[in-house]
Amino acid sequence: MTAAVQTPFQRIASDFAASKLALLGFAMLVVVIGIALFAPVVSPQNPYDLTQIDVMDSKLGPGEKSMAGQTYWLGTDDQGRDMLSGIFYGLRISLGVGVLSTILALSLGILFGLTAAWFGGRIDALIMRICDIQLSFPAILIALILLAMLGQGVDKIIIALITVQWAYYARTVRGAALVERGKEYVEAARGLGLSSSRILFRHLLPNVLPPLIVVATVQVAHAIALEATLSFLGLGLPITEPSLGLLISNGFQYLMSGKYWISFYPGLALLLTIVAINLVADQLRDVLNPRLQK
Amino acid sequence: MTEYIIRRLLQSSLVLVAMSVLVFAGVYAIGNPIELLVNPMADDAERARVIANLGLDKPLWEQYLTFFKGALTGDLGKSFVFNVPAVGLILQKLPATIELALCAMVIAILFGIPLGLWAGLKPDSIAGKTIMAGSILGFSLPTFWVGLLLIMLFSVQLGWLPSNGRGDTVNVLGFEVSFLTADGLSHLFMPALNLALFKLSLIIRLTRAGTREALLQDYVKFARAKGLRASRVVGVHVLKNIMIPIVTVIGLEFGSVIAFAIVTESIFAWPGTGKLLIDSITSLDRPVIVAYLMIIVTLFIVINLVVDILYSVLDPRVRLGQGAGQGAH
């Protein structure tokens, strides 16, 4: 018996591919992630290896050649670093910080959201009240307060990004879990005498994951944009970890003298990354929404 | 209603006190302002004198108590850098920020509602699709990068608009404002547009969604069946009903515009509170950071409360106090 039964993954994949725009976004995302993963391989130079850069090459325009005859397609910055390589390495840091902080915030949100939904009562009220209060302030303000206290650093910006994100997940998980809690399969699991943690993580969690995946995808884009903004303000990453935001900030001082490329191209890379993620997330939302399924 | 307001006010004061403890303790942990404030050549006696003068020799809880007592009388401490009351420093910069935020909101509303209506009435037209695509872009573009693009285009390439400062100001009722002078307006335009962009996209989407929903309602069908002109159906029957969520969001978003002004002010060197905050963080001016945060948190609490109350006035179906909580987010 080999009936052509579609697995859930095949169905999601074919639904996803129905939109050309989403496929374009996906392709862009694959390229961006590939560049971020293999930055040292695909970059023309290592912009942070002092033996490979020459201050004599500083602030060259796009397409100009170095003293050694190498072409800088996107120009160079004030230190004589190739912008293209700088962007590739920057993508790595921006994407890494965005994805890592989202995964950690997601885990934390799942933990608190499930706890709130499962135990209810005072625990639920307390957790949700904290979410309410936190969500009534803009993320950028909370991140600024935290970074003002913590100082600069990759670990610190990740802490700040987790803090501003966890409440979204906690709320989404709680809402979905409250619905699932009343369903028969949970009752059956309870009847079997399974432990709370087993029911929560093995039975409930897989059923509340789809809306979370959508929220998390959009949040990666938000986290990347927020990190770039904070780094631009000089409060995010230190100069030793040059994310796209820092590259843009670095070029800002040369903008007025017409040397646009130092800020412009890192910004363009940032924009393309965010658009790609949003396109994918938009389609995922439709594909994973059970109400829209045929 | 009165009971609800009293309960909300009590709850808000609790949040404020909790925030003040968190912020005070947190800000206390940043760096050592003495390194920046005392001449490195100064001897130990001089250092000790400055530390005692700023009250930094006392334990944290004692410093907090002094701060808390002061805060009750509206005194949030003196700036380490400027040696003037921090509240005064912020209030002096606040009109610039409010002016920028209000202008941004006006731009977002004036363009957002008509564009959203258009996209809602003709969702499949080219114009409607373009408006929606534009609003997606408005959401995706990082604010600070758009600011840079504006400077690149209008200041560097075209040389039409100045890229920093407020320009000439006029004194109106004791506040300096820029929007009444030609020079001030030319300074205001780019930062206001930059700050407006995100809210503009939001209002377009809200208006479009509201319009599409309203068009399906019976009262709109009935108004059309009565033979009313299309302009009257849209202007009175549709618009009036979609205004409630829009007004709520505009109210709630005003606070976030002030928060986002921090970024815009830094790019355009607009001398408001946001730039003051960033400068104070860089110079470790703790009292100003704490005072700014306390003032902005208070502002948020007030905005949230006012919006919740307004909401119940606009929409009689909303009953406050029955688990209404914090309202929309």
Side-chain angles (χ1 to χ4, degrees):
Chain A
M1 285 258 292
T2 49
V5 179
Q6 267 191 326
T7 65
F9 179 78
Q10 281 169 339
R11 182 190 64 76
I12 290 171
S14 73
D15 280 0
F16 185 88
S19 158
K20 292 237 164 57
L21 210 54
L23 274 183
L24 176 72
F26 186 70
M28 276 159 69
L29 201 57
V30 168
V31 172
V32 166
I33 293 174
I35 287 173
L37 284 178
F38 301 106
V41 184
V42 290
S43 300
Q45 65 164 217
N46 178 351
Y48 304 101
D49 177 1
L50 292 176
T51 58
Q52 291 188 32
I53 57 174
D54 189 345
V55 184
M56 297 298 282
D57 290 341
S58 76
K59 289 179 267 180
L60 289 177
E64 285 185 44
K65 280 192 186 339
S66 72
M67 310 289 272
Q70 187 189 356
T71 309
Y72 295 119
W73 295 109
L74 299 183
T76 60
D77 71 359
D78 52 341
Q79 307 281 319
R81 288 188 285 242
D82 174 37
M83 282 315 298
L84 187 67
S85 311
I87 290 170
F88 285 178
Y89 277 77
L91 259 181
R92 200 172 203 201
I93 295 165
S94 290
L95 213 60
V97 167
V99 170
L100 189 62
S101 65
T102 303
I103 291 175
L104 290 175
L106 182 65
S107 319
L108 206 64
I110 287 178
L111 198 66
F112 280 109
L114 283 182
T115 310
W118 191 251
F119 295 104
R122 280 173 175 254
I123 297 174
D124 183 26
L126 180 70
I127 294 177
M128 283 305 115
R129 192 68 332 172
I130 295 174
C131 286
D132 275 350
I133 293 171
Q134 205 200 307
L135 290 174
S136 65
F137 297 99
I140 189 160
L141 193 68
I142 293 176
L144 265 176
I145 298 175
L146 273 175
L147 286 173
M149 295 172 188
L150 299 171
Q152 289 186 329
V154 177
D155 48 340
K156 281 146 193 151
I157 192 133
I158 289 179
I159 293 174
L161 291 176
I162 292 173
T163 313
V164 300
Q165 288 186 72
W166 76 275
Y168 291 104
Y169 303 121
R171 257 204 187 169
T172 317
V173 173
R174 175 182 174 268
L178 277 181
V179 175
E180 296 294 322
R181 201 178 65 157
K183 292 196 177 159
E184 276 134 359
Y185 71 89
V186 174
E187 216 170 290
R190 270 186 170 163
L192 284 170
L194 298 181
S195 67
S196 284
S197 64
R198 193 181 160 91
I199 302 175
L200 277 175
F201 292 102
R202 299 292 294 275
H203 296 257
L204 256 174
L205 187 58
N207 286 292
V208 299
L209 268 180
L212 276 182
I213 293 171
V214 175
V215 178
T217 327
V218 180
Q219 282 298 320
V220 171
H222 281 178
I224 291 174
L226 190 57
E227 178 272 312
T229 308
L230 293 165
S231 295
F232 176 78
L233 291 174
L235 293 170
L237 293 168
I239 309 171
T240 48
E241 307 284 344
S243 71
L244 293 175
L246 259 183
L247 293 178
I248 298 170
S249 166
N250 178 39
F252 185 35
Q253 51 185 314
Y254 303 105
L255 196 65
M256 293 311 287
S257 49
K259 297 183 171 45
Y260 67 91
W261 59 89
I262 310 179
S263 274
F264 180 76
Y265 291 119
L268 201 61
L270 182 66
L271 174 67
L272 289 178
T273 309
I274 294 174
V275 169
I277 297 175
N278 283 344
L279 286 177
V280 170
D282 251 9
Q283 183 70 359
L284 268 186
R285 175 170 37 222
D286 293 347
V287 172
L288 292 177
N289 187 345
R291 275 185 296 179
L292 292 177
Q293 273 165 29
K294 294 145 259 176
Chain B
M1 184 75 167
T2 323
E3 188 205 327
Y4 171 76
I5 294 176
I6 292 171
R7 214 176 57 223
R8 276 293 293 273
L9 283 177
L10 279 176
Q11 197 187 322
S12 305
S13 355
L14 268 179
V15 172
L16 256 184
V17 173
M19 279 302 255
S20 77
V21 175
L22 281 177
V23 166
F24 196 86
V27 170
Y28 186 85
I30 338 170
N32 186 356
I34 296 302
E35 305 295 333
L36 289 172
L37 293 170
V38 182
N39 184 340
M41 308 294 279
D43 56 11
D44 287 348
E46 170 68 12
R47 280 178 68 94
R49 198 187 59 74
V50 175
I51 293 175
N53 215 353
L54 296 172
L56 294 173
D57 53 342
K58 301 197 184 93
L60 178 60
W61 62 269
E62 214 178 313
Q63 288 188 39
Y64 177 74
L65 274 188
T66 318
F67 164 80
F68 188 74
K69 276 182 205 147
L72 290 179
T73 60
D75 171 18
L76 295 175
K78 264 186 174 179
S79 158
F80 290 165
V81 177
F82 303 100
N83 202 28
V84 293
V87 176
L89 204 60
I90 291 165
L91 290 184
Q92 186 197 335
K93 304 267 185 187
L94 198 58
T97 301
I98 302 269
E99 182 183 20
L100 182 62
L102 280 178
C103 285
M105 274 323 241
V106 169
I107 293 177
I109 295 166
L110 279 185
F111 290 93
I113 293 180
L115 287 175
L117 262 181
W118 187 282
L121 292 172
K122 298 192 164 64
D124 295 321
S125 67
I126 294 176
K129 284 191 171 151
T130 316
I131 292 169
M132 284 318 284
S135 86
I136 291 172
L137 206 60
F139 271 128
S140 298
L141 287 164
T143 312
F144 69 102
W145 194 59
V146 179
L148 296 189
L149 289 186
L150 286 174
I151 291 181
M152 228 168 81
L153 180 65
F154 290 110
S155 302
V156 182
Q157 298 294 327
L158 299 170
W160 288 352
L161 295 169
S163 69
N164 62 59
R166 267 187 99 175
D168 296 337
T169 55
V170 192
N171 196 312
V172 177
L173 303 171
F175 297 112
E176 297 290 326
V177 295
S178 295
F179 75 97
L180 291 175
T181 65
D183 185 50
L185 263 184
S186 71
H187 282 84
L188 183 58
F189 178 73
M190 279 200 293
L193 182 67
N194 184 210
L195 194 53
L197 220 58
F198 195 84
K199 303 301 162 198
L200 177 66
S201 311
L202 186 70
I203 292 180
I204 288 178
R205 299 198 128 206
L206 271 176
T207 314
R208 175 179 178 270
T211 309
R212 294 197 65 183
E213 215 166 282
L215 285 179
L216 300 174
Q217 303 289 321
D218 289 340
Y219 60 78
V220 171
K221 284 183 194 152
F222 183 66
R224 279 188 174 151
K226 269 202 309 194
L228 294 182
R229 271 175 295 122
S231 63
R232 190 167 164 85
V233 175
V234 171
V236 176
H237 297 258
V238 172
L239 202 56
K240 231 181 184 173
N241 282 289
I242 61 173
M243 280 322 274
I244 294 172
I246 295 176
V247 167
T248 316
V249 170
I250 289 172
L252 283 174
E253 291 295 319
F254 189 69
S256 103
V257 171
I258 289 186
F260 269 96
I262 297 170
V263 181
T264 302
E265 285 177 9
S266 301
I267 299 167
F268 296 94
W270 183 263
T273 50
K275 191 167 180 310
L276 179 70
L277 175 70
I278 299 292
D279 292 346
S280 303
I281 290 175
T282 332
S283 58
L284 297 181
D285 198 346
R286 288 181 194 161
V288 180
I289 304 174
V290 174
Y292 174 88
L293 295 176
M294 293 319 295
I295 290 176
I296 203 138
V297 168
T298 313
L299 191 73
F300 265 99
I301 290 175
V302 172
I303 289 176
N304 283 340
L305 184 61
V306 170
V307 169
D308 279 356
I309 293 171
L310 268 186
Y311 197 64
S312 77
V313 176
L314 277 177
D315 189 342
R317 284 171 302 180
V318 176
R319 287 275 166 272
L320 288 179
Q322 296 168 358
Q326 292 268 329
H329 294 285

